[in-house]
Amino acid sequence: QVQLVESGGGLVQPGGSLRLSCAASGSMFSINDMGWYRQAPGKERELVAIITRGGNTNAADSVKGRFTISRDNAKNTVYLQMNSLKPEDTAIYYCNLKYINTRHYSEIAWGQGTLVTVSS
């Protein structure tokens, strides 16, 4: 069973910064893509940013230039550095992991979510 533990959410003023972390543990053969999604009240979950095992990244247009995704493969951890935060960034942020399990099947895991609130 794979577990994802997220941390780093909280309350921040507009223009401020936060750094989210998500550490994966459990039995895995390998990890492929790692990413962050978010869900604001009354809205559907949306992709924020994703990073491949090789370090290629992609991000939603709404966060490009403000958010940076990175990963530490040795620690099975993905990070999301969020700068110049706006009230519209307020949401629950979920870590997402695409991995190969020990039976060599592709699987997806989700974190429990961490709340980010941007407000003055």
Side-chain angles (χ1 to χ4, degrees):
Q1 189 75 13
V2 173
Q3 292 184 333
L4 302 180
V5 178
E6 301 163 353
S7 61
L11 173 64
V12 64
Q13 292 186 343
S17 298
L18 283 175
R19 188 191 194 210
L20 305 183
S21 299
C22 173
S25 62
S27 297
M28 296 172 283
F29 179 75
S30 65
I31 297 175
N32 294 331
D33 297 348
M34 304 181 83
W36 291 93
Y37 289 71
R38 67 185 181 186
Q39 188 166 18
K43 295 186 177 181
E44 295 187 352
R45 191 174 297 189
E46 62 176 1
L47 172 69
V48 177
I50 192 168
I51 183 168
T52 67
R53 183 171 182 81
N56 294 318
T57 63
N58 193 19
D61 288 342
S62 59
V63 306
K64 284 182 179 177
R66 300 188 297 123
F67 291 11
T68 302
I69 189 170
S70 61
R71 64 190 282 173
D72 185 333
N73 291 331
K75 296 181 179 179
N76 291 341
T77 299
V78 62
Y79 305 96
L80 186 68
Q81 178 66 43
M82 305 185 293
N83 298 328
S84 302
L85 282 159
K86 303 176 181 180
E88 51 263 44
D89 294 319
T90 295
I92 298 174
Y93 285 69
Y94 297 91
C95 176
N96 172 273
L97 182 73
K98 298 179 177 63
Y99 68 98
I100 305 298
N101 65 23
T102 54
R103 295 175 297 168
H104 296 269
Y105 293 123
S106 178
E107 292 204 60
I108 295 175
W110 289 93
Q112 79 282 3
T114 185
L115 177 62
V116 172
T117 302
V118 185
S119 175
S120 54

